Amino acid sequence: MCGRYEFSLAEPSLRALWETARQRFPQAQMETGEIFPSELAAVLLGAGDGVQPQPARWGFPGSEGGLVINARAETAASKPMFREALRHSRCAVPVSAYFEWSHDRAHNKYSLRPHGHGVFYLAGLCRDYHDGRRFVILTRPAGRSVADLHDRMPVILTPDEVEDWVHDPERTGYLLTQEAPELERRSEDYEQQSLF
């Protein structure tokens, strides 16, 4: 978890954010729709006292190859891969949903979002590598509404929490003490496939 998310241009605020990032970074081929690990996507990073959309690739290079796409919020401060990013380079990942799969034979795919929200944000960490900026998504223990699908879920930010998260290194502990939001789920039609 979290292995895919949705960035829907049907959401006006996401379209505006994406267009702003495209104007500032015209060479960046940012993906929209269902976002997969390793793809380039728009994230929000600190700019002065506010935030600004910029392209970043999902996943830090792993020490044994492959990609590390998530970081446990409870242990990120003690892990060399995440420690400095947690202190100095937090980001917010704008999304319209994230996806999980059931663990039964049907392996159903569900889109998840907080009740009443068309757009929300996932807490992330960014680092610069030789091939550009990359991000991971912070996770926490799952709340009741999704625990039957996975024991982890993303750290979800409300719009009002985005700037505090990006600018305040103390926010991780605060966010983890908050009760996980209740999420609504929608079954997605898809062809049988594995998560990766």
Side-chain angles (χ1 to χ4, degrees):
M1 163 318 83
C2 160
R4 295 201 199 138
Y5 68 87
E6 180 182 60
F7 186 102
S8 173
L9 293 184
E11 295 287 350
S13 61
L14 292 184
R15 177 176 284 280
L17 186 152
W18 184 72
E19 289 177 350
T20 298
R22 279 183 59 201
Q23 290 170 3
R24 294 187 63 240
F25 302 91
Q27 303 302 318
Q29 299 295 313
M30 291 173 291
E31 300 294 334
T32 61
E34 190 167 343
I35 307 298
F36 290 71
S38 82
E39 291 185 339
L40 195 66
V43 301
L44 296 174
L45 289 155
D49 291 337
V51 293
Q52 193 169 67
Q54 296 185 26
R57 194 164 300 281
W58 187 7
F60 290 176
S63 59
E64 299 178 13
L67 290 176
V68 176
I69 61 171
N70 296 320
R72 287 178 173 258
E74 308 94 308
T75 60
S78 65
K79 303 288 185 185
M81 179 177 281
F82 308 124
R83 186 170 38 231
E84 288 306 307
L86 182 62
R87 287 183 190 147
H88 305 295
S89 189
R90 290 167 308 287
C91 66
V93 183
V95 304
S96 44
Y98 81 93
F99 300 107
E100 283 296 349
W101 283 256
S102 65
H103 294 287
D104 56 16
R105 286 189 141 182
H107 200 59
N108 292 322
K109 180 182 182 182
Y110 293 94
S111 67
L112 302 161
R113 65 176 51 89
H115 288 284
H117 287 272
V119 174
F120 59 104
Y121 304 85
L122 309 180
L125 306 175
C126 283
R127 284 180 60 177
D128 290 330
Y129 289 88
H130 69 281
D131 61 349
R133 182 161 288 143
R134 291 177 169 267
F135 72 96
V136 297
I137 293 170
L138 282 179
T139 68
R140 61 173 294 155
R144 291 178 312 207
S145 59
V146 296
D148 62 316
L149 295 176
H150 204 287
D151 63 348
R152 307 286 301 171
M153 66 183 289
V155 174
I156 294 175
L157 306 171
T158 67
D160 291 341
E161 292 173 322
V162 168
E163 288 188 18
D164 281 347
W165 163 251
V166 168
H167 292 288
D168 183 356
E170 302 302 318
R171 283 307 267 189
T172 305
Y174 168 78
L175 290 169
L176 287 175
T177 63
Q178 303 306 299
E179 187 172 335
E182 290 292 311
L183 303 181
E184 61 185 45
R185 65 173 80 176
R186 185 179 70 218
S187 181
E188 298 285 314
D189 292 327
Y190 79 113
E191 296 178 9
Q192 288 284 336
Q193 58 188 352
S194 62
L195 186 55
F196 294 101

